[in-house]
Amino acid sequence: MHNRKNRTAWARNGFETQPFFILNCRKARVAKKRKPAKKNPAAPVNGDTFLGKAPAGAVEVSSREGRLTWGEWIGAGVFLFALGIYLLFFLFQKTEIGERFGVGLALLMNPDFYWLFWTGSPDGKIYPLDRFPVLVGVVFHLSLCGGIGYWVNSFLLRLRTTPLESTLLAMATGLGSLSAYTVLLGWMHLYSLKYLLLVPPFVFSCLGFYRLARKGALGRVPRGGGQLSEDPLQARQHWTNWIALGNLPFAILILLASSNPPWEFDVREYHLQVPKEWYQTGGITWLRHNIYGNMPLGTEMHALFAMLYVPGKDDWWWGALIGKTVSGTFSILSAASIYCLGARLFGRFAGSTASVVYLSTPWVTANSIVGYNEAAVGFFLLMSLLTLVLIFWECRNSATSFSFCFQSVRPFLMTGFFAGASVACKYTAVPFVALPVLGFTLLMVLLGNRARTAVILTFLLIGMALGGGVWFSKNLFLTGNPTYPLLESVFDSERTDAQEEQWAKAHGTPENVAAVSALQEKAGSLLVSYKWLSPLVFPFFLLGLFSNSRRLVWSLCLYLLSVFLVWLMATHRLERFLLPVLPVVCLVCGAGCCWLQHRHWKLIVFFVLLPGVGFNWMLSSSRLVGDVRIFSRLADLDCRSLNASDFYHPQGLVVPLNHRVPEIAWLNQERPQAKVLFFGECRPFEAEFDVIYNTCFDPCETSRRLTGKTPEKIRQSLKEEGITHL
């Protein structure tokens, strides 16, 4: 806590009295002329924040060596008492996987279960090198994206950055650019050229690494800017700031488990099935039989691009595994981004704790290893926020005026690009990411330099169009509806009224549930009863509301509240749709961890995190979150074969995944030249033969061929079409 003298010192420099992150340059210039104040052991110090100076709005102080005051001890005691009460409700809450306390106790008392979870069989054999080809492909893929990003950012994003920030921004730029490049290739139906298509991204990647090697530093200061006040990686810091190393086991688990073959229904229905179809047909087309394939699939394009550079007959299979693993790495990149943002906003200790709270959450592991795209949306959201924070940082360090920072509009182009890249992954990113970024940028410009508002917003919108506009253009050209299959009442397409009613009934907001009842139910689920929650999130989030950086924290909470209301009122309320904003929640948790800067308080936080992270590890590394057979052979997990195995336990204590379709495996082995009409099955990803299928929201392919025909005509029409099996 700060005394009156410290608060006066902050106000004298124009930090405490200003709106959220807005610099009062006049006061800052006056402060430079004044005689420096005497050092105070409780005052902010350069070495304790990310770039050597505390950010505007943040009031972090060094780890004090004296004793806590009585008021601070009482506050810490109230927090620990409330934490204990919450943990009682949390641990004894019944969820879909059972009562948490009973589940945790069973896992704790039977550690031998984990060897079964990780190997998939009682014999315990491991194959540590079996995933080597997939991991090599992932390293090549991410290196390619990083090189492209360095090359682009060297022209468009010349801001003061640390090496880690520069790397993350390059990865985000490269991942978004490579995804858009793959879509454009599909529009031109060029996938059959295969290796020739690798030349442009490979050349730009090499140019990026060449520029990087020539500069000799990742976080090089742009021309005309001052030097960084201090290297954050060499600054002296408290040992608890290295808490971020707790992310390492979760990152390894996510990386290995996400390289497993897909087993979840949606992933095999469209997340990986659609890239496979487009790759095999040579280009991107409108899929009448798979409505989900006409939505934005920016994350899934990495699987399709990997299919282009993987050699051999099974290029689509190995490319899909590489793409699925790349999707899993987005959560790891998000954890690093949370560290950077938390460090800039609240200090390194906040960044470390916030990143651990995020990546240790079982919800993150479960979503990452299955092959969904929510982690990608969250990562691009963080990159949009990071670019805006960097622009503010430039304004704070500017020696002239606040409007000086808006003379260059190129950073806003990249802000828009990251927001557009999130929309390219999922439609929900429009209200969750794109519109908030647009509104916040508008507010920021109006408070800074209104004369350049039109130019800056134009560049922001151009960036959004470059990042995600290609998907809307594709749907407009192919269906007449840029938001297909949404907004059918505004844009006409070939869908019938019955199909639209069926879609709205399944994906719209439940009409039979009152808003107040839904609010109570969903709020309780997200706070206590959801099966993959972390016991660390809500307590530290609540404490963050009372942190010293209240303006900044409450601004983030206002954003979270708006997202929650949109999710509650305009979606079908799947919990995983809110996962992209979990990083923002964890940033507030990081502020809560820095409620006090005393070393004793940091030790309290550490000893609260330790059992919480341990509990999360028990769940995240178990079969409860999905397929975690990280040491098993890929051949044993390959559902294309009849030899594929599932979890086995003699006492039946491990629930199987039941993801293998024996009929598809048999046809792959016995009838690889067959052409099969699927009826009631729409997850044909493992099929190596020709398939005809449809989702339940599309016209039924089987009914269209069988309705109103005699058996003889049915057999004749199927034979003429080349269909051999039903």
Side-chain angles (χ1 to χ4, degrees), residues 571-587:
T571 70
H572 49 301
R573 299 169 183 165
L574 288 180
E575 281 82 357
R576 67 183 175 92
F577 284 3
L578 287 175
L579 191 61
V581 298
L582 180 62
V584 181
V585 175
C586 293
L587 286 175

Side-chain angles (χ1 to χ4, degrees), residues 187 471-484 491:
W187 264 38
W471 293 100
F472 296 93
S473 302
K474 174 187 76 70
N475 284 339
L476 178 63
F477 178 76
L478 296 177
T479 69
N481 179 1
T483 61
Y484 184 91
F491 304 99

Side-chain angles (χ1 to χ4, degrees), residues 265-278 285-295 297 474-475 479 484-485 495 503 682-685 693-699 701:
F265 188 94
D266 287 353
V267 178
R268 297 158 68 196
E269 180 190 29
Y270 71 96
H271 283 293
L272 292 180
Q273 169 61 22
V274 171
K276 172 192 172 184
E277 285 190 49
W278 283 342
T285 59
W286 180 36
L287 302 179
R288 299 174 182 269
H289 55 279
N290 195 330
I291 188 173
Y292 297 104
N294 303 297
M295 292 183 172
L297 297 173
K474 174 187 76 70
N475 284 339
T479 69
Y484 184 91
R495 292 183 62 80
W503 174 267
C682 59
R683 45 179 178 171
F685 173 71
Y693 75 100
N694 63 273
T695 71
C696 62
F697 300 105
D698 297 295
E701 298 290 340

Side-chain angles (χ1 to χ4, degrees), residues 130-131 134 259-261 317-318 321 632-638:
D130 201 58
R131 285 165 176 74
V134 178
S259 65
N260 287 343
W317 172 259
W318 290 103
L321 295 187
S632 181
R633 289 190 306 176
L634 290 180
D636 295 336
L637 312 181
D638 189 348

